[in-house]
Amino acid sequence: MRDLHGLLGIGTLVDGYDGFLEWLENNFTLRRRGEKDEADAPANLIGFAYDWRLSCRYNADRLAERVDEELGRWRSSAPERAEAQVVFICHSMGGLVARQYVERCGGAEVTRRVITLGTPYRGSLDALLSLVNGVGPAGIGLTAFARGLPSLHQLVPDYAALITAPGEPLRYAREVTGLPGTDAALIEDAARFHEALRGSGAGTAHGVEYVPISGVLQPTPTTAEVRGEKLTGLLTIDGADEGGDGRVPRLSSAHVGAAGRPALTPWEKHGSLQNNTALRQALFNWLTPDLPVHRGTEAADIPLVVDAPDVIAEGEVYELRATVPPDVRGHDRVAVFATAEGGPARTLSNLGGGRYAARLAGLPAGPHRVWVSTGNTGHVVMTALVLVLEGGAGDGA
């Protein structure tokens, strides 16, 4: 997927991977196979495209074929490369595909490290909300399509996430019969998929290092109440707001490896994790053979909680709200800026108590980036993505 993209109702917008691949190539001894290169030219920076509609098992099998081909070609291209291993950098569901390859498809023997950005190791409530409540604007027919996707069922929470009655303990989706829009067989199969990954041990046996990255502080649906034929998403679990990247709860994206905690927690939305400044600095330190670069705390590095719609109708005002956590010194006196791509920077109004807001009007139809920054307009803290629907049709199904 190139640049800003997404499929309405099936997933939030994603800020593309072209820039990220270029950054990797420019900062490390990596090269991609160019258009003018021979088809069998060795390369050590490989983008793997997979069919996100299909099962992670199927895509892991395809990944195994690709790794065998590319790694074999690279190892045979020079004597010093004979023992080369693979490092995966994966975004979202791509991390599940890579983990299936490592743990269940023999990939542990050739893999050194798996770095995952917002991977839903324990699933995402967003997926279950889409299955039950429907997806996309009314009338475009995406709900029936989504309900037949094995991949979407594999993203259903693999933790107790449903409230079925007041005072009752949380329940797994597979324990609640008759959830409309879900395929019971696919949910059971998804449970077996996650259980097999957790019980594998292949990665541990071969010393594969998992490095989970979790976006934090963003309002993230984590549990849901069952109300008739619908689910009502909640930002809390057992009364605590643990946050996440807006799509994947932190409790899910961190749940891999022995530590069970993320290696890095940037305050960033799910769709732009790969372009986050702090994340790229951490990647540089992890991937370079040189000593890590140590940087002092910059005044502009202030965490933000950003709440903004993913989709609006053409002509509708885009309302963006940001909050600086109260434990940050001067949280109620921060200069916060928002810049829509191609437009001027706007200063968010200070509402008091560390709360800030702005209203951006006139965004044309199409996908947009809105950069949110603190301290100065040149320091990007995080990116919000919004899709403006042409013609003003925008209510959910």
Side-chain angles (χ1 to χ4, degrees):
M1 291 289 193
R2 299 177 181 273
D3 203 35
L4 187 58
H5 68 275
L7 179 59
L8 182 61
I10 303 302
T12 54
L13 292 174
V14 175
D15 205 5
Y17 305 113
D18 279 359
F20 184 61
L21 287 167
E22 289 172 6
W23 178 83
L24 287 169
E25 197 166 33
N26 292 335
N27 284 276
F28 304 95
T29 54
L30 299 172
R31 69 178 300 274
R32 287 177 283 179
R33 188 175 299 110
E35 295 181 358
K36 296 182 180 180
D37 291 335
E38 297 292 335
D40 60 351
N44 64 341
L45 178 58
I46 309 296
F48 176 70
Y50 62 92
D51 191 333
W52 54 267
R53 299 169 299 181
L54 302 179
S55 166
C56 292
R57 297 189 187 96
Y58 172 86
N59 285 313
D61 288 341
R62 305 288 77 72
L63 177 60
E65 295 171 356
R66 185 72 182 278
V67 171
D68 286 348
E69 176 187 359
E70 297 288 359
L71 183 60
R73 183 179 292 136
W74 182 254
R75 283 179 166 181
S76 63
S77 64
E80 65 272 17
R81 299 170 181 169
E83 301 297 324
Q85 289 186 297
V86 180
V87 172
F88 289 102
I89 303 178
C90 317
H91 184 230
S92 197
M93 189 168 67
L96 291 178
V97 174
R99 191 182 184 198
Q100 171 72 11
Y101 163 70
V102 168
E103 301 293 345
R104 306 288 295 172
C105 300
E109 297 181 9
V110 298
T111 301
R112 179 159 60 91
R113 183 180 294 148
V114 181
I115 301 171
T116 57
L117 286 55
T119 289
Y121 289 112
R122 285 285 190 176
S124 168
L125 187 75
D126 229 23
L128 187 59
L129 292 174
S130 296
L131 287 170
V132 175
N133 295 348
V135 296
I140 65 173
L142 280 176
T143 296
F145 164 70
R147 287 173 173 171
L149 298 178
S151 57
L152 194 57
H153 285 79
Q154 288 174 340
L155 299 181
V156 166
D158 188 49
Y159 62 92
L162 294 182
I163 302 170
T164 55
E168 293 292 320
L170 292 168
R171 301 178 66 186
Y172 286 80
R174 60 179 177 269
E175 297 174 333
V176 181
T177 59
L179 277 178
T182 61
D183 185 311
L186 286 178
I187 286 185
E188 286 291 341
D189 181 68
R192 290 191 294 271
F193 165 75
H194 287 284
E195 183 179 9
L197 288 180
R198 289 194 301 273
S200 165
T204 300
H206 288 85
V208 177
E209 180 185 7
Y210 283 97
V211 184
I213 311 300
S214 298
V216 296
L217 296 183
Q218 311 314 312
T220 307
T222 306
T223 59
E225 288 186 75
V226 180
R227 295 183 178 177
E229 298 289 299
K230 297 289 185 179
L231 296 180
T232 299
L234 303 173
L235 303 181
T236 58
I237 182 166
D238 290 332
D241 185 350
E242 299 183 359
D245 60 22
R247 185 166 179 82
V248 178
R250 179 177 178 175
L251 66 88
S252 176
S253 57
H255 203 98
V256 67
R261 63 185 63 183
L264 183 71
T265 54
W267 45 90
E268 184 59 88
K269 294 285 191 181
H270 183 78
S272 289
L273 280 166
Q274 70 276 21
N275 296 322
N276 180 269
T277 303
L279 185 145
R280 288 192 179 184
Q281 181 59 56
L283 281 175
F284 185 86
N285 291 341
W286 289 327
L287 298 177
T288 182
D290 300 325
L291 291 174
V293 177
H294 298 281
R295 300 183 183 274
T297 301
E298 300 181 24
D301 287 334
I302 298 174
L304 285 177
V305 181
V306 174
D307 189 7
D310 295 325
V311 181
I312 63 173
E314 190 174 16
E316 186 178 352
V317 174
Y318 178 70
E319 296 189 8
L320 183 147
R321 295 181 179 272
T323 306
V324 179
D327 58 343
V328 175
R329 187 176 180 180
H331 70 286
D332 56 347
R333 301 184 302 278
V334 175
V336 183
F337 303 90
T339 308
E341 192 170 13
R346 290 278 306 278
T347 304
L348 274 67
S349 300
N350 190 333
L351 305 180
R355 298 175 298 117
Y356 304 83
R359 292 165 55 87
L360 306 180
L363 292 178
H368 296 271
R369 300 178 182 90
V370 179
W371 292 296
V372 187
S373 56
T374 60
N376 60 73
T377 55
H379 182 86
V380 176
V381 173
M382 60 178 298
T383 306
L385 305 175
V386 58
L387 179 64
V388 180
L389 296 177
E390 186 176 4
D395 293 330

